[in-house]
Amino acid sequence: MEHQVFVPVPADDLRAVLRDPARVARCVPGLQQDADTGVGPLSGRLKVRAGGITVTYRGSAAVIEQGPDHFTFEGEGAEVRGSGTVKFSLGLRLAPVPGGTRLDFTARATADGRAASFAPEAAATALRRLLDRAAGQLAAGSTVSDPVAEAEAEAEEADGPAGTEGEVTEVSATVFETEVPPPSLDPAVDPFLAGGFEDLGAAATPRPPAEAAHARRTMIGRSAEEVDHAPPRGRYAPVPAPTATATGDSLRWIAPAAALALASAVVIGRALRRRR
């Protein structure tokens, strides 16, 4: 099968990508690379869908440069869930044209297993769709610069040309020579620790509330465990429960008064009866 794709990228940029197997692997749509780097970057799993049938293959491929504008991809794979195999050979020629490059693909493959049941039209359509996506990613990958080369270029620019003998270059300060800021509890920095709240004038920093000052004085010099287990104070302090002494005192006076009232009623009642 033959197929042609146009990409708006110079042939030199495409050639640089095709000569790097790691960058070629990123251009294969749907390729899940193996963790084993010893096999090569063009190895892993690839899912193929044609005519409503999906087959996942696991295999490897290699890129062979036949000439400046002629590359060949040779590979083979086996079904992940099955016994079918596939072998393919893909030829690629770069043809510079005005505004970009034309990619001429020539594909040949032999397969058995589930791939043998693919309809020829469905298989050709799936392969063309795969090549179109690969060509698009190949063009996009050619525009991405090499991060290692950029880092080396920036390092060379930062170093500048080599100086002559006798010149003394400026040496930047190390981490150990950097001035360390004072701690937050240093009296020289914190006026509240230096002289307390009473030493601050009217023009100084506004005084904190009394509760905050009390909490600050009590927390300084105490361990974290003591602070965590310290009872809350100020507005957040728990309200003490009313004592039972007031109730006991009231009952103590009410009982004699009731007995006295009852005795008085009895005496008054008997006196009224005698008068009658």
Side-chain angles (χ1 to χ4, degrees):
M1 188 199 75
E2 297 181 355
H3 187 58
Q4 293 182 352
V5 180
F6 171 80
V7 292
V9 178
D12 294 338
D13 296 344
L14 298 176
R15 194 179 299 112
V17 176
L18 293 173
R19 288 173 178 172
D20 187 356
R23 299 176 68 180
V24 173
R26 292 194 291 266
C27 298
V28 179
L31 176 63
Q32 299 179 1
Q33 293 178 284
D34 288 336
D36 186 8
T37 58
V39 182
L42 284 172
S43 62
R45 296 188 178 190
L46 181 63
K47 185 179 296 184
V48 180
R49 181 180 179 85
I53 302 175
T54 303
V55 184
T56 302
Y57 291 95
R58 183 172 187 175
S60 60
V63 184
I64 304 173
E65 184 176 359
Q66 304 291 348
D69 296 330
H70 185 198
F71 296 85
T72 304
F73 300 83
E74 302 285 345
E76 60 182 0
E79 295 180 5
V80 176
R81 298 181 180 179
S83 57
T85 58
V86 61
K87 294 183 179 181
F88 67 91
S89 175
L90 179 66
L92 172 61
R93 292 184 179 272
L94 307 179
V97 296
T101 306
R102 188 183 71 244
L103 307 180
D104 297 331
F105 294 99
T106 303
R108 295 187 302 271
T110 58
D112 55 11
R114 298 178 62 186
S117 61
F118 291 166
E121 297 81 4
T125 302
L127 182 57
R128 291 190 183 96
R129 182 170 60 250
L130 182 64
L131 294 177
D132 291 339
R133 294 176 58 190
Q137 295 189 14
L138 181 63
S142 62
T143 58
V144 179
S145 58
D146 189 0
V148 178
E150 288 185 354
E152 294 178 354
E154 291 178 359
E156 293 179 357
E157 293 179 358
D159 295 340
T164 60
E165 295 182 359
E167 292 184 356
V168 179
T169 58
E170 182 180 357
V171 180
S172 59
T174 62
V175 178
F176 302 98
E177 298 176 1
T178 306
E179 183 181 357
V180 180
S184 59
L185 298 180
D186 191 354
V189 178
D190 197 338
F192 301 111
L193 298 178
F197 300 103
E198 295 77 13
D199 298 337
L200 295 179
T205 307
R207 297 183 179 181
E211 297 177 1
H214 178 73
R216 190 181 184 89
R217 292 194 184 96
T218 54
M219 291 177 63
I220 295 176
R222 303 174 63 184
S223 63
E225 184 178 358
E226 293 177 348
V227 173
D228 293 341
H229 294 81
R233 300 182 180 183
R235 74 174 72 179
Y236 302 104
V239 179
T243 58
T245 56
T247 305
D249 295 341
S250 301
L251 294 177
R252 185 182 304 174
W253 291 103
I254 290 175
L260 179 61
L262 181 61
S264 300
V266 172
V267 172
I268 293 174
R270 289 181 179 179
L272 294 175
R273 289 178 180 177
R274 289 178 181 176
R275 287 180 180 181
R276 292 178 182 176

